[in-house]
Amino acid sequence: MPRPNHTTTRSPDVPVHLRRDGLDPAPELARLRAERPVTKVRLPRGAEVWLVTRYDDVREVLGDAARFSSADGVRAGLGRPTPRQGAFGVLIGYDPPDHTRLRRLLAPEFTVRRMERLRPRVEAIVAGHLDAMAAAGPPADLVTSFALPVPSLVICELLGVPYADRAEFQQRSARRLSVTLDAEAQVAAGLESQAYLRELVARQRSDPGDDLIGMLVREHGAGLADEELVGLADLLLLAGHETTANMLALGTLLLLRDPEQRELVRRGQDVDRAVEELLRYLSVVHAVLPRTAREDVVLAGERIRAGDVLLCSLPAANRDPAVGGDPERFDVSRRPASGHVAFGHGVHHCLGAPLARLELRVAFPALLRRFPGLRLAAPVEELAFKSLAVIYGVESLPVTW
């Protein structure tokens, strides 16, 4: 079986919403957006869904929880959340008012101001891994040396994982997210991870710390079940770790291929805007959890029946000409005409977006300043991109300096 790369991710065997052409959405998505912005497609497990590719339509679907429900992901073959999944199910796969209760409790912990308290630790974690890369010398795999461990340790910091447990915590997370493990091994790693998180929650119940779980226990202990706290921690581990790791690797690859843009980021010129452009341009999350129409609606001229499932393509929406300013061009100094949807939109807009932004704003300039001569150590054509994955990325990124 060939290694997945920028060619095989365009294979007809890959669902159209997962297809990429290297760092770009596959041309099929642009054609659909122009000609059939809402069209029926079939997923690998046989479910037929409406694929939504236009920016305005994606925002309409994601922004209207009354007409488009998040609670029936099972219709798209993704499995319905259950109460045992705790916050994972409530936040991602449930609708208001169930979703609203927990979101209201959690939102104050994810403000930009609260996340900024983590900046010194994020800077220290980033610097430590850059020191280790420099000490080991080139070449290095940026994925294993930097992109994966940095967000993993940030999550440890956020959740209050004791220092003595962090090496094992990282190893367990790596096994769970490894593309080389079969489904049974990944499930086993997931169960191990959740068992550890239950122990962590139990310790925080008896002696709350200054981390996220400790604060939630102190301020809302009676209103949060243990399984909800475990579910939240699990969600942060999976969503926060995997998305940021892939953004760090793919973003570095993109910058290494564009020296002018790389230099702007290295100098730290308006790094906030640069990170937003990287998020928009790469859109590593192919699609958010499917929505189910609660009533008959018309979208982009297509009649959607109650019970039909809709899948919103974030890469296609973020490259829509409607966002303005030649969206097919990567420009870190771009002033967006409107907000991108890389973190979704509406009530399910990514809760951890402020944390992800903080990590990216710290990591990219620090990496490029530490290694001004950073360059690829392998031809782009030999890089293995992830196909058939919920979050797009590169399996490894050989670099030298």
PDB file of all heavy atoms in Angstrom, residues 308-320:
ATOM      1  N   ASP A 308     -32.175  15.068   7.232  1.00  0.00           N
ATOM      2  CA  ASP A 308     -30.985  14.992   6.386  1.00  0.00           C
ATOM      3  C   ASP A 308     -29.764  15.483   7.159  1.00  0.00           C
ATOM      4  O   ASP A 308     -29.854  16.373   8.016  1.00  0.00           O
ATOM      5  CB  ASP A 308     -31.155  15.860   5.130  1.00  0.00           C
ATOM      6  CG  ASP A 308     -32.059  15.215   4.090  1.00  0.00           C
ATOM      7  OD1 ASP A 308     -32.526  14.088   4.335  1.00  0.00           O
ATOM      8  OD2 ASP A 308     -32.303  15.846   3.041  1.00  0.00           O
ATOM      9  N   VAL A 309     -28.609  14.906   6.834  1.00  0.00           N
ATOM     10  CA  VAL A 309     -27.357  15.258   7.506  1.00  0.00           C
ATOM     11  C   VAL A 309     -26.521  16.166   6.608  1.00  0.00           C
ATOM     12  O   VAL A 309     -26.425  15.942   5.399  1.00  0.00           O
ATOM     13  CB  VAL A 309     -26.556  13.985   7.864  1.00  0.00           C
ATOM     14  CG1 VAL A 309     -25.185  14.340   8.440  1.00  0.00           C
ATOM     15  CG2 VAL A 309     -27.334  13.141   8.857  1.00  0.00           C
ATOM     16  N   LEU A 310     -25.926  17.189   7.210  1.00  0.00           N
ATOM     17  CA  LEU A 310     -25.091  18.139   6.479  1.00  0.00           C
ATOM     18  C   LEU A 310     -23.674  18.121   7.050  1.00  0.00           C
ATOM     19  O   LEU A 310     -23.484  18.108   8.263  1.00  0.00           O
ATOM     20  CB  LEU A 310     -25.651  19.562   6.579  1.00  0.00           C
ATOM     21  CG  LEU A 310     -27.067  19.783   6.044  1.00  0.00           C
ATOM     22  CD1 LEU A 310     -28.083  19.669   7.183  1.00  0.00           C
ATOM     23  CD2 LEU A 310     -27.197  21.143   5.377  1.00  0.00           C
ATOM     24  N   LEU A 311     -22.694  18.133   6.151  1.00  0.00           N
ATOM     25  CA  LEU A 311     -21.287  18.141   6.527  1.00  0.00           C
ATOM     26  C   LEU A 311     -20.665  19.416   5.951  1.00  0.00           C
ATOM     27  O   LEU A 311     -20.734  19.642   4.739  1.00  0.00           O
ATOM     28  CB  LEU A 311     -20.590  16.908   5.961  1.00  0.00           C
ATOM     29  CG  LEU A 311     -19.217  16.534   6.513  1.00  0.00           C
ATOM     30  CD1 LEU A 311     -19.299  16.227   8.003  1.00  0.00           C
ATOM     31  CD2 LEU A 311     -18.669  15.334   5.754  1.00  0.00           C
ATOM     32  N   CYS A 312     -20.095  20.253   6.794  1.00  0.00           N
ATOM     33  CA  CYS A 312     -19.555  21.541   6.363  1.00  0.00           C
ATOM     34  C   CYS A 312     -18.055  21.451   6.154  1.00  0.00           C
ATOM     35  O   CYS A 312     -17.307  21.124   7.082  1.00  0.00           O
ATOM     36  CB  CYS A 312     -19.872  22.612   7.407  1.00  0.00           C
ATOM     37  SG  CYS A 312     -21.630  22.968   7.571  1.00  0.00           S
ATOM     38  N   SER A 313     -17.608  21.761   4.938  1.00  0.00           N
ATOM     39  CA  SER A 313     -16.182  21.726   4.609  1.00  0.00           C
ATOM     40  C   SER A 313     -15.526  23.037   5.017  1.00  0.00           C
ATOM     41  O   SER A 313     -15.776  24.088   4.413  1.00  0.00           O
ATOM     42  CB  SER A 313     -15.990  21.483   3.107  1.00  0.00           C
ATOM     43  OG  SER A 313     -14.623  21.647   2.758  1.00  0.00           O
ATOM     44  N   LEU A 314     -14.664  22.990   6.030  1.00  0.00           N
ATOM     45  CA  LEU A 314     -14.000  24.200   6.504  1.00  0.00           C
ATOM     46  C   LEU A 314     -12.915  24.688   5.530  1.00  0.00           C
ATOM     47  O   LEU A 314     -12.813  25.894   5.283  1.00  0.00           O
ATOM     48  CB  LEU A 314     -13.408  23.965   7.895  1.00  0.00           C
ATOM     49  CG  LEU A 314     -14.414  23.509   8.965  1.00  0.00           C
ATOM     50  CD1 LEU A 314     -13.744  23.449  10.329  1.00  0.00           C
ATOM     51  CD2 LEU A 314     -15.638  24.418   9.007  1.00  0.00           C
ATOM     52  N   PRO A 315     -12.096  23.787   4.930  1.00  0.00           N
ATOM     53  CA  PRO A 315     -11.112  24.279   3.960  1.00  0.00           C
ATOM     54  C   PRO A 315     -11.757  24.957   2.755  1.00  0.00           C
ATOM     55  O   PRO A 315     -11.272  25.990   2.288  1.00  0.00           O
ATOM     56  CB  PRO A 315     -10.360  23.009   3.536  1.00  0.00           C
ATOM     57  CG  PRO A 315     -10.563  22.054   4.662  1.00  0.00           C
ATOM     58  CD  PRO A 315     -11.932  22.339   5.186  1.00  0.00           C
ATOM     59  N   ALA A 316     -12.848  24.385   2.254  1.00  0.00           N
ATOM     60  CA  ALA A 316     -13.515  24.996   1.105  1.00  0.00           C
ATOM     61  C   ALA A 316     -14.092  26.354   1.477  1.00  0.00           C
ATOM     62  O   ALA A 316     -13.977  27.326   0.712  1.00  0.00           O
ATOM     63  CB  ALA A 316     -14.623  24.075   0.589  1.00  0.00           C
ATOM     64  N   ALA A 317     -14.707  26.451   2.648  1.00  0.00           N
ATOM     65  CA  ALA A 317     -15.292  27.721   3.082  1.00  0.00           C
ATOM     66  C   ALA A 317     -14.219  28.785   3.257  1.00  0.00           C
ATOM     67  O   ALA A 317     -14.400  29.949   2.869  1.00  0.00           O
ATOM     68  CB  ALA A 317     -16.064  27.519   4.379  1.00  0.00           C
ATOM     69  N   ASN A 318     -13.078  28.409   3.833  1.00  0.00           N
ATOM     70  CA  ASN A 318     -12.026  29.389   4.103  1.00  0.00           C
ATOM     71  C   ASN A 318     -11.271  29.818   2.854  1.00  0.00           C
ATOM     72  O   ASN A 318     -10.534  30.815   2.899  1.00  0.00           O
ATOM     73  CB  ASN A 318     -11.044  28.818   5.129  1.00  0.00           C
ATOM     74  CG  ASN A 318     -11.545  28.973   6.544  1.00  0.00           C
ATOM     75  OD1 ASN A 318     -12.312  29.879   6.858  1.00  0.00           O
ATOM     76  ND2 ASN A 318     -11.120  28.071   7.427  1.00  0.00           N
ATOM     77  N   ARG A 319     -11.446  29.094   1.735  1.00  0.00           N
ATOM     78  CA  ARG A 319     -10.844  29.520   0.464  1.00  0.00           C
ATOM     79  C   ARG A 319     -11.905  30.117  -0.476  1.00  0.00           C
ATOM     80  O   ARG A 319     -11.607  30.391  -1.638  1.00  0.00           O
ATOM     81  CB  ARG A 319     -10.174  28.330  -0.230  1.00  0.00           C
ATOM     82  CG  ARG A 319      -9.026  27.690   0.526  1.00  0.00           C
ATOM     83  CD  ARG A 319      -7.770  28.551   0.523  1.00  0.00           C
ATOM     84  NE  ARG A 319      -6.642  27.805   1.083  1.00  0.00           N
ATOM     85  CZ  ARG A 319      -5.740  27.155   0.358  1.00  0.00           C
ATOM     86  NH1 ARG A 319      -5.819  27.148  -0.949  1.00  0.00           N
ATOM     87  NH2 ARG A 319      -4.747  26.514   0.952  1.00  0.00           N
ATOM     88  N   ASP A 320     -13.098  30.337   0.027  1.00  0.00           N
ATOM     89  CA  ASP A 320     -14.181  30.904  -0.784  1.00  0.00           C
ATOM     90  C   ASP A 320     -13.836  32.346  -1.165  1.00  0.00           C
ATOM     91  O   ASP A 320     -13.421  33.131  -0.306  1.00  0.00           O
ATOM     92  CB  ASP A 320     -15.480  30.878   0.028  1.00  0.00           C
ATOM     93  CG  ASP A 320     -16.711  31.209  -0.801  1.00  0.00           C
ATOM     94  OD1 ASP A 320     -16.589  31.924  -1.824  1.00  0.00           O
ATOM     95  OD2 ASP A 320     -17.812  30.771  -0.416  1.00  0.00           O
TER      96      ASP A 320
END
